Amino acid sequence: MNHTTDVLIVGSGVAAAAIAQKILTKDPLKKITIVEAGSKVKMRDFAIHQNYLVTGNLPYEFCQDKPYPTKDSTGENESLGRTLIPMQGSRLMMYGGSTVHWGGWSFRLKPEDFKLKSNIEKQINKLQGHYDLIDWPFDYNELEPYYCEAEHYIGVSGDSNDPTVPRSQDYPYPAFPYTAEDKPALAALQSLQLKFSHMPIARHGISASDSIHPPCQTTGTCKYCPFGARYVAANYIDDMLQYRDYPNLEVKTGIVVESLIMSGKNSIKGVRFHDKNISETKSFELRATTVILAAGAIESAKLLLRSIDAYWPNGIGNDHDLVGRNLITHPYMMFEADLPENPDGLMPEMDFPTLVSRHFDSETQQLMGKYIIVNPSSSIGTRLANEMQSGKPFSVIKDEITGKSKIQLHVLIEIFSQYENRLYNASKRNHIGLVETAIDFDQGPDFNPRVKQVQADIEKIFTAMGAKNTRLKTISWRADHAACTTRMADTPDKGVVDKNLKVFGVDNLYVCSNGSFSTLGAVNPTLTLTSLAIRLATHLNNNVFAQVKPVVVKETV
């Protein structure tokens, strides 16, 4: 690996891929190095796909966190707070990052999400908890053109006539149609006059575009797509390396970045790392003119925290003790009810949802936490293939399919930042070689009352379907959408990075991850992250690289 580079990107997920692509499109000769701690798993491979079909084993399962330690298992990471935030399954530490297993849901935040504090601060005394709220340092209109570019970059299929959010360009691909499985939920939402729409999803559709990525074939195996129709950062990085003339783009796996190296209080000169391909213990240095942390909300914050030196005794960017704090995620709730019969034999058709309601993702709901309702891809009935493989006779299968059935609706809900909710570096290393994560989190006093309100809303929808016995089946606080740990703000006493994602007080260090979100809203963060990545790359191209020639940073004496 080269010892110097123009741009160093730590992490290889969607943010890294989008930033590199945008920079290299303008300057194909720019020297960019992407480093990834994990390994590479081959994508778009039919042999691997066939093995997955037969065994059900995903080829990247070893890239997940292990469960928390128990009396019977050493496990990984530490949960210290009153609310458990599971790490296992929430992310992938590998080439391509968590886009390798994500669902592809591609929502925009709504205009009110950028003004959370302004919108609710006059009513905040109605809540019991103590929340550290801020607004984004810019509004929806500033990000809107980058949302358009991001939707085209990751290949989103959606309804361009959906009025849920303002848009200046159509989606690149038409929406996937509602399925027969959506019929009960659709009818109920319509009867209750609740707004709904097609799920915007990063799966290439059929269009006149010149994309090299094939359209979705609806194989029902989205966790490992053999065609590469769903956006996966690994495929896009591969494309840059194989099909584009970018001679100075370098991607290295097995690189565990230990700390950032400063040449002064206000300038970073590179990173210190271990190369697992060479040695688990020997330390190396890589110098860079610009450094971008795109390793996710968890690892980016931890790297800043453990980069302690004379200039930054509490960790880089942490003079105000904000790095790793204000941690939030999305509680994911599964509600279930009983239908007396399923006469149409409705059953799962695809491996992704096509119906979503953002009716309660509105400014009127913002004080208590907005939420979306998703009709999941297994909302009703049973999977016919599983029943046939079980050896049951047709008559039994028919009765099971058309008889009494359980039906589900899933909810993703917004929560607010609390200063005491935080993450930091633990004392051990995980099986990838990264320092383990310690999480201290408490859901707060307002969450359970909000769940009761949500359940009452969901019960009305189930009742309109003819279903009874509404119940909350599970709540998962998993760290899939961890955010706000290096949040963006107007001033360093409120956040870690400025509106251009530059760490306050450091001229050439940026953080582009969900951690840089000021607030999270009620929706999957990936499209917003991609938009921020493209916006950052545009800023660097127009305002940084255009004015400053690459130089070797000299250490201050």
Side-chain angles (χ1 to χ4, degrees):
M1 184 168 68
N2 293 323
H3 297 293
T4 62
T5 190
D6 295 335
V7 181
L8 170 63
I9 305 177
V10 181
S12 64
V14 62
I19 291 168
Q21 180 68 71
K22 186 71 174 179
I23 292 173
L24 291 169
T25 298
K26 183 167 186 178
D27 182 2
L29 299 181
K30 179 70 73 174
K31 196 172 184 180
I32 297 180
T33 303
I34 298 174
V35 295
E36 166 61 48
S39 56
K40 183 175 182 178
V41 173
K42 191 174 183 181
M43 298 287 108
R44 297 177 285 192
D45 184 275
F46 277 88
I48 294 176
H49 179 252
Q50 289 299 311
N51 183 70
Y52 167 46
L53 289 178
V54 172
T55 67
N57 296 325
L58 290 163
Y60 48 75
E61 289 180 353
F62 71 95
C63 301
Q64 300 182 15
D65 292 272
K66 294 181 180 179
Y68 283 120
T70 66
K71 63 183 181 64
D72 299 317
S73 172
T74 55
E76 290 178 345
N77 304 309
E78 299 176 24
S79 178
L80 306 175
R82 297 174 61 184
T83 303
L84 183 72
I85 305 291
M87 294 282 288
Q88 186 184 35
S90 69
R91 60 178 183 165
L92 293 177
M93 297 166 284
M94 63 177 293
Y95 181 91
S98 295
T99 59
V100 173
H101 76 165
W102 77 307
W105 303 5
S106 300
F107 299 101
R108 297 183 179 200
L109 291 176
K110 299 180 76 174
E112 66 266 16
D113 292 318
F114 293 80
K115 300 296 179 184
L116 176 62
K117 181 180 180 181
S118 297
N119 289 346
I120 72 171
E121 62 182 343
K122 293 181 180 179
Q123 305 177 71
I124 197 71
N125 58 358
K126 295 180 180 179
L127 302 180
Q128 299 179 51
H130 299 285
Y131 303 102
D132 191 5
L133 304 180
I134 60 173
D135 291 336
W136 287 60
F138 49 79
D139 62 15
Y140 176 86
N141 292 331
E142 163 68 23
L143 201 58
E144 199 280 333
Y146 299 104
Y147 270 132
C148 295
E149 190 169 348
E151 287 166 347
H152 282 73
Y153 170 69
I154 64 175
V156 179
S157 297
D159 180 5
S160 299
N161 296 315
D162 179 9
T164 301
V165 292
R167 62 171 46 253
S168 60
Q169 293 183 34
D170 289 349
Y171 284 108
Y173 302 103
F176 282 91
Y178 298 125
T179 65
E181 186 187 2
D182 291 326
K183 286 171 58 177
L186 274 171
L189 292 170
Q190 288 172 329
S191 69
L192 296 171
Q193 298 184 325
L194 301 180
K195 299 172 185 176
F196 60 88
S197 62
H198 295 268
M199 171 69 79
I201 199 157
R203 286 171 170 78
H204 286 74
I206 298 174
S207 77
S209 81
D210 58 357
S211 173
I212 64 174
H213 300 277
C216 176
Q217 304 297 309
T218 62
T219 62
T221 56
C222 296
K223 292 299 183 183
Y224 187 88
C225 177
F227 306 101
R230 174 174 57 80
Y231 177 85
V232 174
N235 294 336
Y236 281 61
I237 295 174
D238 282 347
D239 294 343
M240 284 192 285
L241 292 169
Q242 296 171 13
Y243 305 123
R244 306 285 185 176
D245 189 13
Y246 300 145
N248 297 317
L249 172 63
E250 183 180 30
V251 183
K252 292 290 290 183
T253 58
I255 305 299
V256 178
V257 178
E258 297 296 336
S259 61
L260 309 176
I261 307 172
M262 305 298 291
S263 60
K265 176 76 172 181
N266 307 118
S267 181
I268 183 172
K269 67 178 181 180
V271 300
R272 186 173 293 108
F273 67 92
H274 293 134
D275 186 342
K276 296 191 294 182
N277 304 292
I278 299 174
S279 171
E280 295 284 351
T281 57
K282 187 177 180 180
S283 182
F284 301 89
E285 292 185 6
L286 173 60
R287 302 298 177 94
T289 306
T290 301
V291 177
I292 303 170
L293 306 186
I298 293 172
E299 295 305 324
S300 296
K302 287 163 57 187
L303 180 52
L304 290 173
L305 284 171
R306 64 176 180 265
S307 298
I308 295 172
D309 59 20
Y311 307 113
W312 296 94
N314 299 313
I316 295 174
N318 200 34
D319 281 352
H320 294 274
D321 193 18
L322 290 171
V323 176
R325 291 192 178 274
N326 293 299
L327 170 67
I328 57 176
T329 187
H330 278 137
Y332 191 91
M333 297 182 282
M334 299 182 183
F335 290 95
E336 190 174 74
D338 300 318
L339 281 173
E341 60 178 352
N342 180 18
D344 294 329
L346 300 176
M347 66 184 71
E349 294 183 42
M350 293 190 285
D351 201 26
F352 57 87
T354 50
L355 171 64
V356 61
S357 172
R358 298 185 72 175
H359 183 90
F360 298 97
D361 179 11
S362 67
E363 190 169 345
T364 58
Q365 298 283 325
Q366 200 165 18
L367 177 64
M368 290 300 294
K370 309 193 305 174
Y371 67 93
I372 65 170
I373 303 170
V374 176
N375 194 48
S377 59
S378 54
S379 62
I380 187 173
T382 183
R383 292 191 179 273
L384 182 59
N386 293 342
E387 295 296 321
M388 293 174 67
Q389 289 174 345
S390 70
K392 296 177 181 178
F394 174 76
S395 59
V396 173
I397 294 176
K398 181 181 179 181
D399 289 342
E400 290 184 354
I401 290 175
T402 59
K404 183 177 179 180
S405 179
K406 293 180 174 61
I407 191 164
Q408 289 191 355
L409 290 171
H410 294 180
V411 167
L412 208 61
I413 189 168
E414 177 182 23
I415 61 170
F416 303 147
S417 289
Q418 300 177 78
Y419 178 76
E420 297 301 328
N421 286 343
R422 63 178 301 194
L423 60 82
Y424 47 92
N425 291 281
S427 58
K428 299 186 299 181
R429 292 185 181 273
N430 67 14
H431 68 286
I432 301 294
L434 293 166
V435 177
E436 290 186 6
T437 304
I439 295 180
D440 189 350
F441 191 91
D442 186 341
Q443 69 184 31
D446 297 296
F447 181 71
N448 287 337
R450 182 53 169 162
V451 172
K452 291 181 180 179
Q453 294 173 348
V454 173
Q455 182 163 339
D457 294 333
I458 297 297
E459 185 169 19
K460 293 177 183 177
I461 300 173
F462 279 142
T463 299
M465 295 184 197
K468 298 181 179 180
N469 190 26
T470 297
R471 53 201 177 270
L472 176 59
K473 185 178 180 182
T474 62
I475 297 180
S476 172
W477 283 86
R478 213 169 67 173
D480 300 52
H481 299 170
C484 299
T485 53
T486 57
R487 69 184 187 178
M488 191 183 347
D490 288 314
T491 58
D493 61 321
K494 295 296 183 181
V496 179
V497 300
D498 67 13
K499 67 178 182 179
N500 294 316
L501 305 185
K502 185 180 73 68
V503 173
F504 283 113
V506 184
D507 295 334
N508 55 340
L509 175 61
Y510 301 82
V511 183
C512 188
S513 76
N514 297 345
S516 298
F517 285 29
S518 303
T519 59
L520 188 55
V523 294
N524 180 299
T526 304
L527 181 67
T528 300
L529 173 59
T530 310
S531 306
L532 290 175
I534 294 172
R535 181 176 179 271
L536 169 58
T538 303
H539 167 73
L540 292 173
N541 283 337
N542 296 342
N543 302 304
V544 179
F545 301 153
Q547 300 177 16
V548 181
K549 294 182 179 180
V551 296
V552 176
V553 181
K554 295 182 180 180
E555 187 165 358
T556 303
V557 178

